[in-house]
Amino acid sequence: MPTFYGTQVSSRLMLGTAQYPSPSVLAEAFRRSGAGIATVSLRREAAGGGAGQSFWDLIRDLGVPVLPNTAGCHSVREAVTTAQMAREMFGTDWIKLEVIGHADTLQPDPFGLVEAARILSDDGFKVFPYTTQDGILAGRLLDAGCEVLMPWGAPIGTGLGLNDLYGLRTLRAQFPDVPMVIDAGLGLPSQAAAAMELGFDAVLLNTAVAKAGDPAAMAEGFARGLEAGRLAYEADPMEPRDMAAPSTPVLGLAVLE
């Protein structure tokens, strides 16, 4: 199982906690999937009317590590302040860092992301940066103190899967020893399996499960897809080829004249 900042987690599936139809459905999705990490938003936790405390009680009852995030932050200052508040509220120095650069695609701001990652790393945070598949940006984030990379598969909430297989494969090959999580854009378990087959260590998703007709069943489906994809990766699969090759030996076959 993957290890992040020296901590081994129990599953390759990381689940978000937003948009579920009810708290009981959220809890059942985690139970059936065996997800190893729950991502939470400070904005979700801090909801008014006592809802924040009830939500935090529910998350603690899941019994898995919590990864707070800076979702919705569009500047370095906003992301850093949100991370500092999250550390105080959730009691963890883990932070999923988002610095959004484009309101429609929710694409990360690469310049702000590196700056915020450096500030937070210097402040003792263990940063999980939501980034793209760009290898230069990945190198800058590692230089800034990150020990994990979280490239997107596709824009958040789209369910499009792995939009740039070449870029993701190249990124994985460029940094073979860095833990990497596909974060955002997955819609089906088959897409999660494909991420595992490329050699990624885990996936993080929310919308594909929370908005499914049966979130708990979809969560379990993703868990099974991850298992299948990882088994395939570890089995050293055959290379694709352009020409057909017979699977049945031709030597020794009867010849009709």
Side-chain angles (χ1 to χ4, degrees), residues 172-256:
R172 179 70 281 181
Q174 187 174 352
F175 302 101
D177 299 323
V178 176
M180 291 191 193
V181 181
I182 293 295
D183 176 17
L186 299 185
L188 292 169
S190 58
Q191 297 163 354
M196 292 295 99
E197 291 166 3
L198 290 176
F200 286 87
D201 299 282
V203 303
L204 191 159
L205 52 96
N206 189 161
T207 308
V209 168
K211 291 299 186 180
D214 186 339
M218 184 62 79
E220 182 178 346
F222 269 100
R224 295 187 183 187
L226 288 169
E227 182 179 359
R230 186 66 188 186
L231 283 172
Y233 173 74
E234 293 175 349
D236 190 17
M238 63 174 285
E239 292 292 329
R241 56 197 307 167
D242 293 328
M243 299 296 293
S247 57
T248 302
V250 296
L251 293 177
L253 293 180
V255 178
L256 300 177

Side-chain angles (χ1 to χ4, degrees), residues 25 28 50 64 75 77-78 94 96 107 110 112 131 135 150-151 154 159 165 181 194 214 222 230-231 254:
V25 171
E28 182 66 6
V64 298
S75 70
R77 180 177 180 181
E78 186 181 14
W94 282 15
K96 179 193 168 188
Q107 181 170 339
T131 181
M150 302 183 74
L165 288 174
V181 181
D214 186 339
F222 269 100
R230 186 66 188 186
L231 283 172

Side-chain angles (χ1 to χ4, degrees), residues 40-46 67-100 116 119-120 123 125:
V40 295
S41 168
L42 181 65
R43 289 170 173 79
R44 177 69 175 84
E45 162 64 17
L67 177 62
N69 65 47
T70 63
C73 292
H74 291 258
S75 70
V76 172
R77 180 177 180 181
E78 186 181 14
V80 169
T81 300
T82 300
Q84 291 169 338
M85 294 172 63
R87 178 167 61 182
E88 181 177 348
M89 178 168 290
F90 295 109
T92 179
D93 54 8
W94 282 15
I95 192 71
K96 179 193 168 188
L97 177 61
E98 296 184 25
V99 182
I100 301 302
I119 292 170
L120 292 173
D123 193 26
F125 281 91

